[in-house]
Amino acid sequence: MADMTPVKHPMPEQAADVRNKNFSEVALGYTEETAIAEAKRCLNCKKPMCVDGCPVNVKIPEFISLVAEGKFEEAYQKISETSSLPAVCGRVCPQERQCESKCIRGIKGEPVAIGRLERFCADYHMAHGKSEEIKIEKNGHKVAIVGAGPAGLTCAGDLAKLGYDVTVFEAFHVAGGVLMYGIPEFRLPKEIVQKEVEKLQNLGVKIETNTVVGQAVAVDELISEEGFEAVFIGTGAGLPMFMRIPGEGLSGVYSANEFLTRINLMKAYLDDYATPIKKHNKVAIVGGGNVAMDAARCAKRLGAEVYIVYRRGREELPARAEEVHHAEEEGIIFKLLCNPTEILGDENGNVKAMRCVEMELGEPDASGRRKPIEKKGSDFILEVDSVIMALGTSPNPLIKNTTEGLDVNPRGCIVADEVGKTSKDGVYAGGDAVTGAATVILAMGAGKKAAAAIDEYIKSK
């Protein structure tokens, strides 16, 4: 019989006034005893809606049943049947909007902590699992993957398991994409990302770093000259957006992309690294999504007083509730229903303040959220010495500008169908390069669908 405790077992965490001064992981993970207890809350439904809520269709009741029996390695293997990155998904997926939102236990209490249990299984495997030589019979076909982020790595892993000779081309010096440069160490330790990458390499996936496709080699050349029979484009959306207000060119104004890349990939928070970032006293983060929370919490750890400036209210914040909660606990100040109109500089061209205006919410707009309307005469000055724009991103135009016959939409995103097929024969795409900035798990789901479609395409030739 299931344990009918109405709430999840809490996840141990670093204390807020301690963690906001370091980059160590905030959440500390379940113990074996807690994981078993939480797993016993699962009702093991005959029609598991939680699986439908997962973009990669992890066999959730099955792996949780194994956890409840103390069969942790078997549970990990069950997850791995459909997910290439369990340790990542257990940490950064918005489970509250996906699998856990469908959990029957959530009707009269809190859903089963699916994400926490997935993380536990992955961490258990990393600590206790034995490395086994994986023998996969090659099928003699070659596929190229452009971009070593969540979409590309998932597509690569699924194709490798099917026997394909897979090569991933990555522009940065390390694989992982947004998992490495975008998500902070305190949410997703980079050592864990690299262990997941190594797991794919053990399947035979080859990774070529420092290779900018569209510059070093074109997509067309991969097919016509390098012998690849299909190409998957999973290059993400790394081109930052700005407000186009006066003062955005001042020293001390960053895109969240640049700020987080310097910190996460280049270790700018460490004094002994060669890529330091200037430490500011008062920082404003413009935006209300997960990236804004990440940037704010990083700035706090660098010693600044930090403000989140967002033009809508708390109910409209697009960030995960857990990230907002953690940010508030760590002392970040939320300036909601406010919008910047100008960034002010000193005589040396450095940021000294930001002019803002108060907002109020009107009728819902096309996104379904209430439209923010400026309150006349409500201008005020927020004294800051740095501004970080976390307003979203769009795909870099390099691929589309160097690939003949590849259709893109007005936002610069590659046009692809539900399985990732593009307008160009043999070329598939998925993740943020197609949808614009979205979640890790949705990108993984796109990579998974594309791998199956590529397999069908090559077999039909």
Side-chain angles (χ1 to χ4, degrees):
M1 172 151 324
D3 179 350
M4 299 308 293
T5 303
V7 297
K8 298 176 183 178
H9 288 78
M11 174 77 88
E13 297 175 345
Q14 285 193 72
D17 60 349
V18 173
R19 68 180 191 243
N20 67 5
K21 301 175 185 66
N22 68 62
F23 279 78
S24 298
E25 193 167 13
V26 169
L28 303 177
Y30 276 167
T31 63
E32 293 182 15
E33 294 75 17
T34 306
I36 289 172
E38 181 62 30
K40 288 181 177 178
R41 294 185 62 237
C42 179
L43 299 176
N44 203 13
C45 305
K46 290 182 179 179
K47 294 183 178 180
M49 300 301 294
C50 54
V51 176
D52 294 336
C54 174
V56 297
N57 300 123
V58 168
K59 298 171 183 176
I60 294 169
E62 293 178 43
F63 99 75
I64 290 180
S65 291
L66 290 166
V67 174
E69 295 173 25
K71 297 178 179 178
F72 308 133
E73 179 62 23
E74 290 92 332
Y76 170 79
Q77 296 301 334
K78 182 60 64 175
I79 297 168
S80 297
E81 289 177 11
T82 53
S83 175
S84 298
L85 307 169
V88 171
C89 293
R91 286 169 164 83
V92 302
C93 278
Q95 290 96 0
E96 70 277 6
R97 296 201 300 270
Q98 293 174 162
C99 55
E100 292 183 14
S101 73
K102 308 292 185 183
C103 179
I104 298 299
R105 291 300 307 269
I107 296 174
K108 294 185 178 180
E110 291 184 346
V112 175
I114 299 167
R116 295 174 185 177
L117 290 172
E118 180 178 21
R119 169 189 163 152
F120 168 80
C121 293
D123 289 356
Y124 181 90
H125 170 75
M126 287 185 180
H128 303 283
K130 295 180 180 178
S131 297
E132 295 182 8
E133 186 178 351
I134 301 170
K135 293 183 179 180
I136 299 173
E137 186 176 345
K138 294 290 185 180
N139 62 19
H141 298 284
K142 289 174 62 178
V143 177
I145 309 291
V146 184
L153 293 176
T154 299
C155 188
D158 280 17
L159 288 170
K161 291 174 185 176
L162 293 171
Y164 286 90
D165 185 349
V166 182
T167 302
V168 180
F169 297 94
E170 168 57 40
F172 276 134
H173 63 280
V174 64
V178 70
L179 307 175
M180 290 297 293
Y181 71 75
I183 302 174
E185 182 82 13
F186 54 81
R187 281 217 294 136
L188 180 61
K190 304 310 159 204
E191 180 184 6
I192 284 173
V193 178
Q194 290 311 303
K195 284 182 178 178
E196 296 280 46
V197 171
E198 287 170 15
K199 187 174 69 176
L200 295 178
Q201 290 175 309
N202 290 338
L203 293 173
V205 174
K206 294 185 285 291
I207 299 177
E208 298 285 345
T209 56
N210 299 309
T211 305
V212 181
V213 173
Q215 189 176 75
V217 61
V219 169
D220 294 317
E221 292 171 340
L222 290 173
I223 296 172
S224 63
E225 298 178 21
E226 301 297 330
F228 292 102
E229 296 171 68
V231 176
F232 174 77
I233 301 171
T235 47
L239 195 65
M241 297 179 183
F242 287 87
M243 293 188 70
R244 299 182 180 178
I245 59 175
E248 283 187 318
L250 291 168
S251 178
V253 179
Y254 301 88
S255 70
N257 225 33
E258 177 193 356
F259 182 73
L260 290 170
T261 299
R262 282 176 175 270
I263 289 173
N264 299 328
L265 193 61
M266 301 179 182
K267 308 295 184 187
Y269 61 90
L270 299 175
D271 293 332
D272 58 347
Y273 265 65
T275 54
I277 194 165
K278 184 177 178 182
K279 294 183 179 180
H280 298 276
N281 296 314
K282 292 186 177 183
V283 178
I285 315 293
V286 183
N290 289 327
V291 173
M293 301 304 141
D294 286 343
R297 296 172 70 193
C298 283
K300 183 70 177 179
R301 283 159 171 77
L302 293 175
E305 182 177 300
V306 183
Y307 302 90
I308 291 278
V309 180
Y310 181 61
R311 62 183 185 153
R312 289 183 167 94
R314 183 181 180 85
E315 294 301 314
E316 290 77 28
L317 280 167
R320 292 181 67 189
E322 181 180 66
E323 300 308 317
V324 174
H325 173 66
H326 279 156
E328 288 180 321
E329 282 189 328
E330 291 167 10
I332 287 158
I333 302 162
F334 282 70
K335 305 285 286 185
L336 302 177
L337 290 170
C338 294
N339 204 39
T341 57
E342 182 182 7
I343 302 169
L344 308 173
D346 61 20
E347 62 278 6
N348 297 315
N350 298 309
V351 173
K352 71 172 184 180
M354 187 166 69
R355 188 186 306 278
C356 300
V357 64
E358 293 181 11
M359 311 293 285
E360 56 188 359
L361 297 180
E363 295 300 314
D365 61 14
S367 71
R369 294 178 297 173
R370 294 174 65 192
K371 185 176 180 180
I373 302 168
E374 182 179 321
K375 284 186 182 179
K376 291 185 178 180
S378 63
D379 292 43
F380 67 94
I381 300 295
L382 184 63
E383 291 187 6
V384 293
D385 58 359
S386 179
V387 176
I388 299 170
M389 295 292 183
L391 303 169
T393 54
S394 61
N396 189 304
L398 182 61
I399 292 287
K400 66 142 179 156
N401 289 344
T402 58
T403 306
E404 189 175 343
L406 187 67
D407 291 345
V408 298
N409 66 21
R411 295 185 298 139
C413 297
I414 297 170
V415 176
D417 66 14
E418 64 275 4
V419 297
K421 190 178 188 315
T422 72
S423 57
K424 190 173 180 66
D425 187 46
V427 177
Y428 293 75
D432 292 2
V434 171
T435 61
T439 64
V440 168
I441 191 67
L442 287 175
M444 289 176 62
K448 195 169 191 66
K449 288 177 182 177
I454 288 170
D455 181 46
E456 267 188 47
Y457 166 76
I458 291 176
K459 283 178 177 176
S460 68
K461 288 175 69 175

